[in-house]
Amino acid sequence: MGEALCFIFALLNDKFSVANSAILLIHCPDQAGLVALVTEFVHKNRGNILNLDQHVDHHLRHFFMRIEWDMTDFLIPQEKINDYFSTLIGAAHQMKWTLQFTERKPRMALFVSKASHCLYDILQRYGTGEFDCEIPLIVSNHEQLRYIAERFEIPFHYLPITRETKAAQESKTIALLEEQDVDFVVLARYMQILSDDFCRHFAHRVINIHHSFLPAFKGARPYHSAFNRGVKLIGATSHYVTADLDEGPIIAQDVERVSHRHGIEDLKRIGKDVEKRVLSRAIYLQLQHRILPFGNRTVIFN
Amino acid sequence: MGEALCFIFALLNDKFSVANSAILLIHCPDQAGLVALVTEFVHKNRGNILNLDQHVDHHLRHFFMRIEWDMTDFLIPQEKINDYFSTLIGAAHQMKWTLQFTERKPRMALFVSKASHCLYDILQRYGTGEFDCEIPLIVSNHEQLRYIAERFEIPFHYLPITRETKAAQESKTIALLEEQDVDFVVLARYMQILSDDFCRHFAHRVINIHHSFLPAFKGARPYHSAFNRGVKLIGATSHYVTADLDEGPIIAQDVERVSHRHGIEDLKRIGKDVEKRVLSRAIYLQLQHRILPFGNRTVIFN
Amino acid sequence: MGEALCFIFALLNDKFSVANSAILLIHCPDQAGLVALVTEFVHKNRGNILNLDQHVDHHLRHFFMRIEWDMTDFLIPQEKINDYFSTLIGAAHQMKWTLQFTERKPRMALFVSKASHCLYDILQRYGTGEFDCEIPLIVSNHEQLRYIAERFEIPFHYLPITRETKAAQESKTIALLEEQDVDFVVLARYMQILSDDFCRHFAHRVINIHHSFLPAFKGARPYHSAFNRGVKLIGATSHYVTADLDEGPIIAQDVERVSHRHGIEDLKRIGKDVEKRVLSRAIYLQLQHRILPFGNRTVIFN
Amino acid sequence: MGEALCFIFALLNDKFSVANSAILLIHCPDQAGLVALVTEFVHKNRGNILNLDQHVDHHLRHFFMRIEWDMTDFLIPQEKINDYFSTLIGAAHQMKWTLQFTERKPRMALFVSKASHCLYDILQRYGTGEFDCEIPLIVSNHEQLRYIAERFEIPFHYLPITRETKAAQESKTIALLEEQDVDFVVLARYMQILSDDFCRHFAHRVINIHHSFLPAFKGARPYHSAFNRGVKLIGATSHYVTADLDEGPIIAQDVERVSHRHGIEDLKRIGKDVEKRVLSRAIYLQLQHRILPFGNRTVIFN
């Protein structure tokens, strides 16, 4: 291939991108004509549809949709879209929706304790641009991983927790998150249970990684339980945190084969790999606004 | 759960279905407004959209779409849809499309030689209704599997092939397929290479299973080659047949782990499992009109 | 490759086999020198070791071993090996062991209800020689699958069950199994819970397939539970049946990815594929005497 | 669980370990009695066998074995084992073997270019003790990743390469490796082809990661080729480097599913995850002396 051709190929090759696009995640009771309604709204106002995906849950007779359009020539001003959409379509069809613009980089906070594997994996992806976001802070109840935060030059907040200080620490944490305008929180092997209040406050905005293929082995020490049960697969699950421990809507899961040869330490070692990729997959989906939680399930548009 | 509730659950549980729906698979050069155009065409003519999926290949600037709508109240008569769609939308946008109706059961022919595993797997799925189609005939260049056809009461045509009779046999086969109004052919480990003419005649209508993860190990004896290369994964590939051997558009692929402990016979044994599920996955997609071949690639709407 | 060479290759290619080999599965408290002791016993008596695999569970300080040797020149008569081994090695080291000879084809009984997918899969493998065993009988509490048994010319015993007849039916079944000298039973989606007595009587001789990745979704309707929990993977588990429902030692497990697009019927359809291969993997291991159950876990020598 | 019990559990839980063990990797033409011979050698000299695994390739009539024993009470001095083993067993049976002692930490060198994902993954595992080795140096033909080396406080050697300086650079590199007593080299996405001399000099001591499931997509730009071929799986392969590009013995492989939705940039992104885990799996096996290369294949004892 000649130099010139290589160059052209590289150009084409670049991820297709527009300066700013709008992403609408919608759900509502199913009825005829919804797709046409929404696409017409976008099209008539000169929004070029870049992606459209929809799903109907025929059991629940419920409709889900993700639509992304180029904002370049869109007639409705960005800050008024919610209002117009509500008036013209949303309210009449009992829709619930969120609207995001890709020009705004999502702001993600990381909560960690002592295990470094997920943190490193996330920061490496952040460092190379795979995760296109801001990470304004890392919160931890231990000091052990401060050095990693420093390596990546991210502010590290040490907020230790005892039974007595838990409430106060959470208040401080919430204040930090709001001060930093954080969009969502990732618990990267954070070994503390969040209060119900915190969970409600940040509903669908806190992603956890649990080191088992839920609903198997909820709670503490899942690798020990997996070993004792003699399973031939171990897994990991990323999910939104709710007040019910390890019961929130699942975003991603994966497994790896194990055998009798693997002791508990081996399960932990192998499991770390699964945890890393399952958590990072969830973060990637979140950053792309591809997750629509509904009840205890998620619709993943990908 | 009480009896009554169980009953209701079972009802809801039933696969959602309509008497007849139309499925349009479209592709054309990309431009703004295509999704809105097509959804409006369906919606204005009182077709309730059941499924919609679209894809834009930004490298090739090409647009792909699958749309399914309920025919119950659709205003345009079934036999005129192609014409109307062409006049109103298709021609002006250089679209190519196929239109299918779910009330027509697809008619699938099976070609086999001596290996029974894929044949059994297909017929079991057919027998239990997983494959919702007609199988009007099985063609073979050997007699060995006639007993299976008889067990399932499907006409079995023994058409042996020698170098001399190959052309005549193919003519006979084509006559049979046309007589039986066959929609597509599945080569379920059929150990004959089809002529270029046959391939062209049935372009995108012949699905083959190749026992390797293509493009590795094209051609004969892939398990021997896999053994000799010492790979740690073996695979299978289902693809549309083209005049270039094992080079047609890939529909589905899967792999299984192997190790040094596995001799060639083990690879064959393990490989059969992969072949069965990869071929059956392709058939399922074909029966649901979810495959859109384009150049040497496929868009799979699922 | 020339014809002659092909022929030679084919010969070499043949699965290596000896007329008769002995397979010893041993476990005992761990101590130094066990491997040397056993290999010396075989070697000194002119048994050529074909396969040897061992495992030490360092948590439990327990030793496991599988050793297979060619019986051709073995000095100890087949029927006296157990006795000699016990006297010379086994008793002194608190060993427990089973001894099998490959010249005896294992005799497997199949229990089925109405679902045909596992039954077909097993019989196809049996028919092509992948499962090298005898299948003297199929037992069912329903008549629906009789035609399949007839197609494969295997005696089919219809033994319907009501609450009142359950005990009597089990007695009849046990009588049949003993009359037919059955080595082990496969529950190929048999929808009846075996009595504790039956389970104890056939300990480690009844293999079940459960349609979830245990320990998740034990008991009835696992696909419904999986759907409701919104998991992104569904699985299947083959295990030895014990008196505790779905709690027996796990032999094999596998999973398949699913998404929000899959309704319960889709989960069932996709799950069938996983069930088939996970059950057949367990049967294959059982036929090769590669499973050593210990407590609630299994050591799989493969 | 009480505090005390937790403590005991933690103890048992600790990876079983001995101060020093010997690991012998042997291969030779197959014949009767080999396992007994070797185990007797170890046992008679008071070596407690910790692990034993063997394999016979019946096609090639070749024997492979890995045996590990506790050195605590072993009668033969460490430095004389090779000699004794050769005299008493090895020479007479045309054996080839390597002998390692676990008290010596393997010394691993990393070669990198510009991509950071594999490097980070390796260093994170090194930092947390998952990789129990020394990393005396990182070599690169670019400066870009120096900051990572510095973060982990590992000497970074920038050795740029032009066509003219290639030979000189390799000489310098070899000198460095020898000076640092390096056992093996890992090419963590090192974008340079090593000379034949280098490959021969470090035969079976250089591990590469190739970003495709070999033998598919050898050479440059495999993700572009994968995209153009329309594969539904992409993969990665770790292998020993030989003078034939991408043709060396395969150590580990894995794949990930992709679809038409994934452009080349997506394939690269998804592929990085596969590369990381496949390369790290190979390193782990190498550190545990579990890889026995033979011809163009590997026996992996795990």
Side-chain angles (χ1 to χ4, degrees):
Chain A
M1 195 157 30
E3 284 286 301
L5 213 66
C6 267
F7 178 69
I8 288 165
F9 197 83
L11 267 185
L12 285 175
N13 209 2
D14 265 342
K15 203 174 167 178
F16 175 80
S17 60
V18 296
N20 187 26
S21 64
I23 297 171
L24 202 47
L25 286 166
I26 306 168
H27 69 95
C28 65
D30 191 28
Q31 63 186 105
L34 292 170
V35 173
L37 258 183
V38 177
T39 53
E40 198 186 32
F41 169 79
V42 173
H43 186 57
K44 291 241 162 126
N45 293 298
R46 299 206 195 146
N48 182 26
I49 296 171
L50 301 172
N51 285 295
L52 185 155
D53 200 358
Q54 57 87 46
H55 170 64
V56 177
D57 186 314
H58 295 297
H59 292 212
L60 304 169
R61 302 180 193 279
H62 208 79
F63 174 83
F64 304 86
M65 185 171 181
R66 181 184 187 274
I67 184 165
E68 177 175 6
W69 67 91
D70 187 347
M71 284 294 292
T72 312
D73 303 317
F74 201 58
L75 296 178
I76 307 173
Q78 199 159 315
E79 67 283 4
K80 292 193 181 163
I81 298 177
N82 262 323
D83 187 37
Y84 277 50
F85 185 76
S86 175
T87 307
L88 298 174
I89 300 177
H93 296 84
Q94 298 147 269
M95 285 182 178
K96 295 195 174 167
W97 69 91
T98 59
L99 176 67
Q100 313 282 344
F101 299 96
T102 59
E103 68 180 8
R104 182 184 192 278
K105 279 200 185 188
R107 296 173 68 78
M108 165 169 80
L110 303 177
F111 285 21
V112 299
S113 290
K114 295 179 183 172
S116 67
H117 56 290
C118 286
L119 179 59
Y120 258 124
D121 196 62
I122 292 166
L123 293 181
Q124 183 268 319
R125 291 170 201 263
Y126 164 71
T128 57
E130 180 182 326
F131 286 166
D132 190 19
C133 63
E134 307 289 345
I135 305 183
L137 78 164
I138 297 174
V139 169
S140 183
N141 57 333
H142 293 282
E143 281 281 21
Q144 274 90 335
L145 303 184
R146 179 186 289 276
Y147 73 102
I148 302 178
E150 286 172 354
R151 280 180 185 177
F152 285 86
E153 295 172 5
I154 296 171
F156 181 88
H157 300 264
Y158 169 51
L159 294 169
I161 299 178
T162 62
R163 200 167 300 175
E164 290 72 34
T165 63
K166 191 177 173 92
Q169 197 263 20
E170 276 206 350
S171 301
K172 256 193 235 172
T173 308
I174 291 177
L176 269 172
L177 296 176
E178 294 186 340
E179 185 188 308
Q180 289 296 334
D181 199 16
V182 162
D183 293 301
F184 69 100
V185 173
V186 172
L187 309 184
R189 296 299 307 273
Y190 181 62
M191 297 286 93
Q192 282 290 325
I193 295 172
L194 301 173
S195 74
D196 292 9
D197 273 355
F198 192 104
C199 293
R200 267 188 293 272
H201 192 88
F202 288 94
H204 299 150
R205 293 170 60 199
V206 182
I207 295 174
N208 184 41
I209 179 73
H210 183 74
H211 38 315
S212 81
F213 50 93
L214 290 175
F217 309 129
K218 277 186 281 195
R221 299 167 78 81
Y223 292 128
H224 288 76
S225 305
F227 179 83
N228 289 328
R229 182 61 190 92
V231 292
K232 302 299 186 189
L233 296 169
I234 56 166
T237 304
S238 54
H239 63 95
Y240 285 120
V241 171
T242 61
D244 294 321
L245 188 65
D246 299 333
E247 293 280 6
I250 292 171
I251 302 167
Q253 294 189 291
D254 209 345
V255 293
E256 196 69 47
R257 282 199 199 163
V258 295
S259 81
H260 64 274
R261 296 192 184 285
H262 297 109
I264 289 172
E265 292 309 308
D266 295 305
L267 300 190
K268 287 182 185 171
R269 174 177 54 82
I270 295 166
K272 280 177 184 173
D273 269 22
V274 190
E275 294 165 34
K276 288 191 309 194
R277 65 178 189 261
V278 168
L279 180 55
S280 286
R281 202 181 295 161
I283 294 171
Y284 188 78
L285 292 167
Q286 176 81 12
L287 291 175
Q288 303 238 325
H289 313 295
R290 294 187 174 278
I291 316 174
L292 204 172
F294 179 68
N296 205 37
R297 312 175 75 237
T298 58
V299 171
I300 308 285
F301 295 108
N302 65 350
Chain B
M1 195 154 34
E3 284 287 301
L5 212 66
C6 269
F7 178 69
I8 289 166
F9 197 82
L11 267 183
L12 286 176
N13 209 0
D14 264 344
K15 203 174 166 176
F16 175 80
S17 60
V18 297
N20 187 25
S21 64
I23 296 171
L24 201 49
L25 285 166
I26 305 168
H27 69 95
C28 64
D30 190 29
Q31 62 186 106
L34 292 169
V35 173
L37 258 183
V38 177
T39 53
E40 195 187 34
F41 169 81
V42 173
H43 185 56
K44 291 241 161 125
N45 293 299
R46 296 202 197 150
N48 184 24
I49 296 171
L50 301 172
N51 284 295
L52 184 155
D53 200 358
Q54 58 85 46
H55 171 63
V56 177
D57 187 315
H58 294 296
H59 291 213
L60 305 169
R61 300 178 193 279
H62 208 80
F63 174 83
F64 304 86
M65 187 173 180
R66 180 184 187 273
I67 184 166
E68 177 175 7
W69 68 91
D70 186 350
M71 284 295 292
T72 312
D73 303 317
F74 201 57
L75 296 178
I76 308 173
Q78 199 160 315
E79 67 282 3
K80 292 193 180 161
I81 298 176
N82 262 323
D83 189 35
Y84 278 50
F85 185 76
S86 174
T87 307
L88 298 174
I89 299 177
H93 297 83
Q94 297 148 270
M95 284 181 179
K96 296 194 174 170
W97 70 90
T98 60
L99 177 67
Q100 313 282 344
F101 299 97
T102 59
E103 69 179 11
R104 183 185 192 277
K105 279 200 186 190
R107 295 173 68 78
M108 165 170 81
L110 303 177
F111 285 20
V112 298
S113 290
K114 295 178 182 173
S116 68
H117 57 288
C118 285
L119 180 60
Y120 258 125
D121 196 62
I122 293 166
L123 293 180
Q124 183 266 320
R125 291 169 201 262
Y126 165 71
T128 57
E130 180 182 324
F131 286 166
D132 190 20
C133 63
E134 307 288 346
I135 305 182
L137 79 162
I138 296 174
V139 169
S140 184
N141 57 333
H142 293 282
E143 279 282 20
Q144 274 89 333
L145 302 184
R146 178 185 290 278
Y147 74 102
I148 301 178
E150 286 172 353
R151 280 178 184 178
F152 285 86
E153 297 172 4
I154 296 170
F156 182 89
H157 299 263
Y158 170 50
L159 293 169
I161 300 177
T162 61
R163 200 167 299 177
E164 290 73 33
T165 64
K166 190 175 172 91
Q169 196 261 22
E170 276 208 350
S171 301
K172 253 193 238 173
T173 307
I174 291 177
L176 269 171
L177 296 176
E178 293 185 340
E179 183 188 309
Q180 288 297 333
D181 198 15
V182 162
D183 293 301
F184 69 100
V185 173
V186 172
L187 310 184
R189 296 299 308 271
Y190 181 62
M191 299 285 93
Q192 283 288 327
I193 294 170
L194 301 173
S195 74
D196 291 7
D197 273 356
F198 193 103
C199 293
R200 268 190 291 271
H201 192 88
F202 287 94
H204 299 149
R205 293 170 59 199
V206 182
I207 294 174
N208 184 40
I209 179 74
H210 183 74
H211 38 316
S212 80
F213 51 93
L214 288 174
F217 309 130
K218 279 187 279 194
R221 300 167 78 79
Y223 291 129
H224 288 76
S225 305
F227 178 83
N228 290 329
R229 181 62 188 89
V231 291
K232 302 300 185 187
L233 295 169
I234 56 167
T237 305
S238 53
H239 63 95
Y240 285 120
V241 171
T242 60
D244 294 320
L245 187 65
D246 299 332
E247 293 279 7
I250 292 170
I251 302 167
Q253 296 189 291
D254 210 346
V255 293
E256 196 70 49
R257 283 200 199 162
V258 294
S259 79
H260 65 274
R261 297 194 183 284
H262 296 109
I264 290 172
E265 293 309 309
D266 295 306
L267 299 191
K268 287 181 186 172
R269 173 177 55 80
I270 295 166
K272 280 177 183 173
D273 269 23
V274 191
E275 294 165 33
K276 289 192 306 195
R277 65 177 189 261
V278 167
L279 180 55
S280 286
R281 203 180 296 162
I283 294 172
Y284 188 79
L285 292 168
Q286 176 81 11
L287 292 174
Q288 303 237 326
H289 313 296
R290 293 186 176 279
I291 316 175
L292 203 171
F294 179 69
N296 205 38
R297 311 175 75 238
T298 58
V299 171
I300 307 286
F301 294 108
N302 67 346
Chain C
M1 196 157 31
E3 284 286 302
L5 212 67
C6 267
F7 178 69
I8 289 167
F9 197 83
L11 267 184
L12 285 176
N13 208 0
D14 264 344
K15 202 173 165 178
F16 175 79
S17 60
V18 296
N20 188 25
S21 64
I23 296 170
L24 201 48
L25 286 166
I26 305 167
H27 70 95
C28 65
D30 190 29
Q31 62 186 106
L34 292 168
V35 172
L37 258 183
V38 177
T39 53
E40 196 187 34
F41 169 81
V42 173
H43 185 55
K44 290 240 161 125
N45 293 298
R46 296 203 197 149
N48 182 25
I49 296 170
L50 301 172
N51 285 295
L52 184 155
D53 200 357
Q54 58 87 45
H55 170 64
V56 178
D57 187 314
H58 295 296
H59 291 214
L60 305 169
R61 302 180 191 280
H62 208 80
F63 173 84
F64 305 86
M65 185 172 181
R66 181 184 186 273
I67 184 165
E68 177 174 6
W69 68 90
D70 187 348
M71 284 294 292
T72 311
D73 303 316
F74 201 57
L75 296 178
I76 308 173
Q78 198 159 316
E79 67 283 5
K80 292 193 181 162
I81 297 177
N82 262 323
D83 188 34
Y84 277 49
F85 185 77
S86 174
T87 307
L88 298 173
I89 299 177
H93 295 85
Q94 297 148 268
M95 284 181 179
K96 296 195 173 167
W97 69 91
T98 60
L99 177 67
Q100 313 282 344
F101 298 97
T102 59
E103 69 180 9
R104 182 185 193 277
K105 279 199 185 189
R107 295 174 68 79
M108 167 169 80
L110 303 177
F111 286 20
V112 298
S113 290
K114 295 178 182 173
S116 67
H117 57 288
C118 285
L119 180 60
Y120 257 125
D121 196 62
I122 293 166
L123 294 180
Q124 183 266 320
R125 291 169 201 263
Y126 165 71
T128 57
E130 181 182 324
F131 285 166
D132 190 20
C133 63
E134 306 288 347
I135 304 182
L137 77 164
I138 296 173
V139 169
S140 184
N141 57 332
H142 293 282
E143 279 282 22
Q144 273 89 334
L145 303 184
R146 178 184 290 278
Y147 74 102
I148 301 178
E150 286 173 353
R151 279 178 184 178
F152 284 86
E153 295 173 4
I154 296 171
F156 182 89
H157 299 264
Y158 170 49
L159 292 169
I161 299 178
T162 61
R163 200 168 298 176
E164 291 71 34
T165 63
K166 190 176 174 91
Q169 195 261 24
E170 275 208 350
S171 302
K172 255 194 237 173
T173 307
I174 292 177
L176 269 170
L177 296 176
E178 292 184 341
E179 185 188 309
Q180 289 296 334
D181 199 15
V182 163
D183 293 301
F184 69 100
V185 173
V186 172
L187 310 184
R189 296 298 308 271
Y190 181 62
M191 298 284 92
Q192 282 288 326
I193 294 171
L194 302 173
S195 74
D196 290 8
D197 273 356
F198 193 103
C199 292
R200 268 189 291 272
H201 192 88
F202 288 94
H204 299 150
R205 293 170 60 199
V206 182
I207 295 174
N208 185 41
I209 180 74
H210 183 74
H211 38 316
S212 80
F213 51 93
L214 289 175
F217 310 129
K218 280 188 278 194
R221 301 167 77 80
Y223 292 129
H224 288 75
S225 306
F227 179 82
N228 289 328
R229 181 62 188 90
V231 291
K232 302 299 184 187
L233 296 169
I234 56 167
T237 305
S238 54
H239 63 96
Y240 285 120
V241 171
T242 61
D244 295 321
L245 186 66
D246 299 333
E247 292 279 6
I250 291 170
I251 302 167
Q253 295 188 292
D254 210 346
V255 293
E256 196 70 49
R257 282 199 200 163
V258 294
S259 79
H260 64 273
R261 297 195 183 282
H262 297 108
I264 290 171
E265 293 309 309
D266 295 305
L267 300 191
K268 285 182 185 172
R269 172 177 57 79
I270 294 166
K272 280 177 182 172
D273 268 23
V274 190
E275 294 166 32
K276 289 192 308 195
R277 65 178 190 260
V278 168
L279 180 55
S280 286
R281 202 181 295 161
I283 294 172
Y284 188 78
L285 292 167
Q286 176 81 11
L287 292 175
Q288 303 238 326
H289 312 296
R290 294 186 175 278
I291 315 174
L292 204 171
F294 179 69
N296 205 37
R297 311 176 74 237
T298 58
V299 171
I300 308 287
F301 294 109
N302 65 346
Chain D
M1 196 154 33
E3 285 286 300
L5 212 67
C6 267
F7 178 69
I8 289 166
F9 198 82
L11 267 184
L12 285 175
N13 209 0
D14 265 343
K15 204 175 166 179
F16 176 80
S17 60
V18 296
N20 188 25
S21 64
I23 296 170
L24 201 48
L25 286 166
I26 306 167
H27 69 94
C28 64
D30 190 28
Q31 64 185 105
L34 292 169
V35 173
L37 258 183
V38 177
T39 53
E40 198 187 32
F41 169 80
V42 173
H43 185 56
K44 291 241 161 125
N45 292 299
R46 298 206 195 145
N48 183 25
I49 296 170
L50 301 172
N51 285 295
L52 185 154
D53 200 357
Q54 58 86 46
H55 171 63
V56 178
D57 187 315
H58 295 297
H59 292 212
L60 305 168
R61 301 179 194 281
H62 208 79
F63 174 84
F64 304 86
M65 185 171 181
R66 180 184 187 274
I67 185 165
E68 177 176 6
W69 68 90
D70 187 347
M71 285 294 292
T72 312
D73 303 317
F74 201 56
L75 296 178
I76 307 173
Q78 199 160 315
E79 67 284 3
K80 293 193 179 161
I81 298 177
N82 262 322
D83 188 36
Y84 277 51
F85 185 75
S86 174
T87 308
L88 298 173
I89 300 177
H93 296 85
Q94 298 148 267
M95 284 180 178
K96 295 194 175 169
W97 69 92
T98 59
L99 177 66
Q100 313 282 344
F101 299 96
T102 59
E103 69 180 10
R104 183 186 192 277
K105 279 201 184 186
R107 296 174 69 77
M108 165 169 81
L110 303 177
F111 286 19
V112 299
S113 291
K114 295 179 183 173
S116 67
H117 56 289
C118 285
L119 180 60
Y120 258 124
D121 196 62
I122 292 166
L123 293 182
Q124 183 266 321
R125 291 169 201 263
Y126 165 72
T128 58
E130 180 181 325
F131 286 167
D132 190 18
C133 63
E134 306 289 345
I135 305 183
L137 77 165
I138 296 174
V139 169
S140 183
N141 57 333
H142 293 282
E143 280 281 22
Q144 275 90 334
L145 303 184
R146 179 186 290 277
Y147 74 102
I148 302 178
E150 286 172 354
R151 280 180 184 176
F152 284 87
E153 296 173 4
I154 296 171
F156 181 87
H157 299 263
Y158 169 49
L159 293 169
I161 299 178
T162 61
R163 201 168 297 176
E164 291 72 32
T165 62
K166 190 175 174 92
Q169 195 262 22
E170 276 207 351
S171 301
K172 254 192 238 174
T173 308
I174 292 177
L176 269 172
L177 296 175
E178 293 185 341
E179 184 188 309
Q180 289 296 334
D181 198 16
V182 162
D183 293 301
F184 68 100
V185 173
V186 172
L187 309 184
R189 297 299 308 272
Y190 181 62
M191 299 285 93
Q192 282 289 325
I193 294 171
L194 302 173
S195 73
D196 291 9
D197 273 356
F198 193 103
C199 294
R200 267 188 293 272
H201 192 87
F202 287 94
H204 299 150
R205 292 170 62 198
V206 182
I207 294 175
N208 185 40
I209 180 73
H210 183 75
H211 39 314
S212 80
F213 51 92
L214 290 175
F217 309 128
K218 278 187 280 195
R221 299 168 78 82
Y223 292 129
H224 288 77
S225 305
F227 179 84
N228 289 329
R229 181 62 188 90
V231 292
K232 303 299 186 189
L233 296 170
I234 57 166
T237 305
S238 53
H239 63 94
Y240 285 120
V241 171
T242 61
D244 295 321
L245 187 65
D246 299 333
E247 292 280 7
I250 291 171
I251 301 166
Q253 295 188 292
D254 209 345
V255 293
E256 197 68 49
R257 283 200 199 162
V258 294
S259 80
H260 64 273
R261 296 194 185 283
H262 297 108
I264 290 173
E265 293 308 309
D266 295 306
L267 301 190
K268 286 182 186 173
R269 174 177 56 81
I270 295 166
K272 280 178 184 174
D273 268 22
V274 191
E275 294 165 34
K276 288 191 309 193
R277 65 178 191 261
V278 168
L279 180 55
S280 286
R281 204 181 293 161
I283 294 172
Y284 188 78
L285 293 167
Q286 176 80 10
L287 291 176
Q288 303 239 324
H289 312 296
R290 294 187 174 279
I291 316 174
L292 205 170
F294 179 68
N296 205 37
R297 310 176 74 237
T298 59
V299 172
I300 307 286
F301 294 108
N302 65 349

